[in-house]
Amino acid sequence: QVQLVESGGGLVQPGGSLRLSCAASGSIVSIGAMRWYRQAPGKERELVATITSSGSTNYADSVKGRFTISRDDAKNTVHLQMNSLKPEDTAIYYCNANLRRPLLTMYIDYWGQGTQVTVSS
């Protein structure tokens, strides 16, 4: 009964910017950490950025200084602001939320459907 819906992907030129969003909906008690992953063709899925429930952030070395993760708890939404994009940033980007549902004590990971980001001239 929980859905993570992503938006904001598309085609941009190198050096451009893009802002991804992912909104969680359904019966949710609380949301812990939220993350963005990406997977390029022929490569393994990699963790791009993490934001905890307290607002602490962490980034992959490849995106530090260029990407910013943020969250809006009032809207159960996580964002990824991507600046100075490079062709190697091209991938499908997936959002992930560790959340607790009603009547459950444990937090479980939920995933969005993914959104395509293509950086090309």
Side-chain angles (χ1 to χ4, degrees):
Q1 297 178 9
V2 172
Q3 287 190 349
L4 302 182
V5 180
E6 301 185 28
S7 61
L11 173 65
V12 296
Q13 294 187 347
S17 297
L18 208 59
R19 182 175 175 85
L20 305 182
S21 299
C22 179
S25 63
S27 299
I28 301 170
V29 174
S30 61
I31 301 177
M34 305 184 82
R35 298 177 173 88
W36 286 96
Y37 291 80
R38 68 185 181 187
Q39 186 166 24
K43 297 184 178 180
E44 298 294 323
R45 183 180 61 184
E46 66 173 335
L47 176 62
V48 176
T50 299
I51 184 166
T52 69
S53 59
S54 63
S56 298
T57 60
N58 207 347
Y59 300 91
D61 288 341
S62 59
V63 306
K64 284 183 178 178
R66 300 188 298 119
F67 290 11
T68 302
I69 188 171
S70 61
R71 63 192 291 161
D72 184 345
D73 289 333
K75 298 180 179 180
N76 289 338
T77 299
V78 61
H79 303 279
L80 185 67
Q81 178 66 46
M82 304 184 293
N83 299 326
S84 301
L85 284 163
K86 305 174 181 179
E88 49 263 46
D89 294 318
T90 296
I92 300 176
Y93 285 70
Y94 300 90
C95 71
N96 167 275
N98 190 239
L99 60 85
R100 181 188 173 193
R101 298 184 64 190
L103 304 181
L104 299 179
T105 59
M106 65 186 301
Y107 283 75
I108 301 174
D109 279 351
Y110 288 83
W111 293 85
Q113 80 287 350
T115 184
Q116 177 70 49
V117 172
T118 302
V119 185
S120 176
S121 299

